[in-house]
Amino acid sequence: MERNLKYCLVILNQPLDKCYRHLWKKALFRACADGGANRLYDITEGHRESFLPEFINGDFDSIRPEVREYYTLKGCELISTPDQDHTDFTKCLQVLQKKIEEKGLQVDVIVTLGGLTGRFDQIMASVNTLYQAIHIVPMPTIIIQEESLIYLLQPGKHKLHVDTGLEGNWCGLVPVGQPCNQVTTTGLKWNLTNSVLGFGTLVSTSNTYDGSGIVTVETDHPLLWTMAIKI
Amino acid sequence: MEREFTPLEPLLPAGNLKYCLVILNQPLDKCYRHLWKKALFRACADGGANRLYDITEGHRESFLPEFINGDFDSIRPEVREYYTLKGCELISTPDQDHTDFTKCLQVLQKKIEEKGLQGKHKLHVDTGLEGNWCGLVPVGQPCNQVTTTGLKWNLTNSVLGFGTLVSTSNTYDGSGIVTVETDHPLLWTMAIKI
């Protein structure tokens, strides 16, 4: 992460990757969605006080009683979001946006840990939250877990800098919600030119970079970018 | 048995009528826009593609038919090229004993059967190996008409789509049977007791 990048950290209910320590330190704001608090609690045993989230939201059907008690005692805000029509992750972003506005924070990106492994339906729910996020938070939201990152590209032109040195050797473009009829890229080993991407037609997976350090993507519909992280 | 039918129902602004749209080689009426949106499936018979191509100038990508059939003696080369590039299926039906329209209906019926557009499914979920979650995920494209029974949170002619509604963390009502009716491919996912 760049020294000056301003980001909020969201922790979901999946095994936490080691990078959480580094990400925690430089985050402007940190939140757990329900059972994400269990994950944080367990992995920070021995130095829990250095890892206190600003809030934990959810319907609280996953957070363990002793975990809830601990963070309440330590002054973390526990925000009940019982709405069953949305996931804890979606609701976490809603609460986060309110906090960002209240505190007048300047935020460049929301970094989410978890959400990409485990139950298939919940992985899909995480992807769906990215589709909804554009209506909730004005800044980009990325999800990271293990060696994968996902980021939803809105219709239009995008320039991705892929020269941090942390890039792994695969990437892809996945038209999850609907086909994209006009996709053009540069910087990939297999580029697209006004191509159609769609399930049943073409999905760009196992792609890689051409070495230029920059990938550009132009799309007419939301398109999921996914890439490898060197771990 | 008496058949009931409302001929103008497709033209109504709201409604759940399931219909396919066929475009022939005549000037297209403005109602094509509204009819296009709510159709399950859209096809052009030969020169019908020219009509569509011309009238949709400026936003052609929003009006891509699933297939264009014919002996292709009417479709203009640039029109054929455009729709081929955009992933539409071009189906040659050279038989001179039938019109492009007739042959279009033949192809359409095959598609309706293949794609299970009368897509009714019955899943038996009473093996004892079912875990406690299930879901319906419209990967690839939205489904405009999904109806289920047997789930805790059922759907009735609902829209499923990323950004709209994705059915996750659903579960069963205990009946042991789930039925799903869908107008587009829909991914079923369920927990296995491990």
Side-chain angles (χ1 to χ4, degrees):
Chain A
M1 285 279 177
E2 265 178 56
R3 251 174 228 168
N4 298 326
L5 192 71
K6 298 180 178 49
Y7 62 92
C8 296
L9 191 63
V10 171
I11 297 180
L12 303 183
N13 191 3
Q14 277 298 309
L16 263 175
D17 292 310
K18 289 193 196 132
C19 63
Y20 86 93
R21 280 180 165 264
H22 167 73
L23 286 168
W24 187 278
K25 267 188 306 180
K26 294 148 107 262
L28 277 185
F29 204 89
R30 308 146 189 99
C32 296
D34 208 340
N38 298 336
R39 305 287 180 172
L40 184 65
Y41 183 89
D42 293 337
I43 209 175
T44 56
E45 186 182 355
H47 24 245
R48 282 186 186 121
E49 281 127 27
S50 306
F51 296 91
L52 299 175
E54 270 78 3
F55 74 82
I56 302 166
N57 78 292
D59 49 14
F60 300 137
D61 61 352
S62 302
I63 191 172
R64 301 195 312 261
E66 72 271 21
V67 173
R68 185 173 179 173
E69 208 179 301
Y70 175 81
Y71 287 116
T72 310
L73 229 78
K74 290 297 176 184
C76 307
E77 200 179 347
L78 274 278
I79 302 176
S80 169
T81 51
D83 174 11
Q84 288 303 298
D85 286 338
H86 295 101
T87 61
D88 294 323
F89 179 19
T90 302
K91 291 177 286 183
C92 186
L93 293 182
Q94 290 169 339
V95 176
L96 189 55
Q97 177 57 17
K98 277 215 201 83
K99 298 283 179 190
I100 289 171
E101 286 167 6
E102 279 170 19
K103 296 177 189 290
L105 295 177
Q106 282 282 77
V107 180
D108 297 319
V109 63
I110 296 176
V111 179
T112 310
L113 294 180
L116 302 182
T117 68
R119 276 170 47 171
F120 183 75
D121 66 331
Q122 291 183 338
I123 297 170
M124 291 292 99
S126 303
V127 174
N128 192 36
T129 297
L130 291 188
Y131 275 76
Q132 298 170 327
I134 192 187
H135 302 294
I136 305 174
V137 289
M139 69 289 297
T141 304
I142 65 174
I143 305 182
I144 293 175
Q145 187 171 1
E146 289 182 6
E147 70 160 295
S148 303
L149 174 150
I150 64 173
Y151 168 50
L152 187 63
L153 303 171
Q154 292 301 322
K157 290 183 172 169
H158 301 266
K159 187 174 187 176
L160 306 172
H161 294 272
V162 292
D163 54 356
T164 63
L166 297 172
E167 291 76 15
N169 65 357
W170 59 262
C171 60
L173 288 163
V174 189
V176 182
Q178 65 182 130
C180 299
N181 300 313
Q182 298 249 53
V183 182
T184 301
T185 68
T186 65
L188 300 174
K189 181 166 183 185
W190 290 282
N191 281 307
L192 302 162
T193 311
N194 282 323
S195 307
V196 174
L197 284 184
F199 275 82
T201 316
L202 176 67
V203 177
S204 176
T205 59
S206 291
N207 209 330
T208 188
Y209 307 103
D210 69 0
S212 61
I214 292 180
V215 169
T216 69
V217 182
E218 190 171 354
T219 177
D220 61 336
H221 290 291
L223 182 58
L224 197 72
W225 164 255
T226 181
M227 63 189 288
I229 308 168
K230 248 187 211 158
I231 45 173
Chain B
M1 197 196 98
E2 187 184 76
R3 257 200 187 186
E4 266 191 63
F5 182 53
T6 308
L8 297 180
E9 196 173 348
L11 295 175
L12 292 174
N16 298 323
L17 191 71
K18 299 179 180 47
Y19 63 90
C20 296
L21 191 64
V22 172
I23 297 178
L24 305 183
N25 192 3
Q26 278 296 312
L28 263 175
D29 293 310
K30 287 196 198 125
C31 63
Y32 85 91
R33 278 181 167 263
H34 166 73
L35 285 168
W36 187 280
K37 264 193 306 184
K38 295 153 98 260
L40 278 187
F41 205 86
R42 308 148 188 100
C44 298
D46 209 342
N50 298 335
R51 305 289 179 170
L52 182 66
Y53 183 88
D54 293 337
I55 207 175
T56 56
E57 186 181 354
H59 27 243
R60 281 189 187 119
E61 280 126 34
S62 306
F63 294 93
L64 300 174
E66 270 79 2
F67 74 82
I68 301 167
N69 78 291
D71 48 14
F72 300 136
D73 60 352
S74 305
I75 190 172
R76 300 194 312 262
E78 71 271 20
V79 173
R80 183 176 178 171
E81 205 181 301
Y82 175 81
Y83 287 118
T84 309
L85 228 80
K86 289 301 176 184
C88 305
E89 200 178 346
L90 276 278
I91 302 177
S92 168
T93 50
D95 173 11
Q96 290 303 299
D97 287 337
H98 297 98
T99 63
D100 295 325
F101 181 20
T102 301
K103 291 177 284 182
C104 185
L105 293 183
Q106 290 168 338
V107 176
L108 191 55
Q109 178 56 18
K110 276 217 202 85
K111 297 284 180 188
I112 288 169
E113 286 165 7
E114 276 170 27
K115 291 175 188 293
L117 286 183
Q118 285 152 349
K120 290 184 171 166
H121 304 266
K122 187 176 189 177
L123 308 172
H124 293 272
V125 293
D126 54 358
T127 64
L129 296 172
E130 291 75 14
N132 65 359
W133 59 262
C134 61
L136 288 161
V137 190
V139 183
Q141 64 185 131
C143 300
N144 302 314
Q145 303 246 50
V146 183
T147 301
T148 69
T149 65
L151 299 174
K152 182 166 182 184
W153 290 282
N154 281 308
L155 303 160
T156 311
N157 282 322
S158 308
V159 175
L160 284 184
F162 275 84
T164 316
L165 177 67
V166 176
S167 177
T168 60
S169 292
N170 210 330
T171 189
Y172 308 103
D173 69 359
S175 60
I177 292 181
V178 169
T179 70
V180 182
E181 189 170 351
T182 177
D183 61 337
H184 290 291
L186 181 59
L187 195 71
W188 165 256
T189 179
M190 63 190 288
I192 309 168
K193 251 191 207 151
I194 44 174

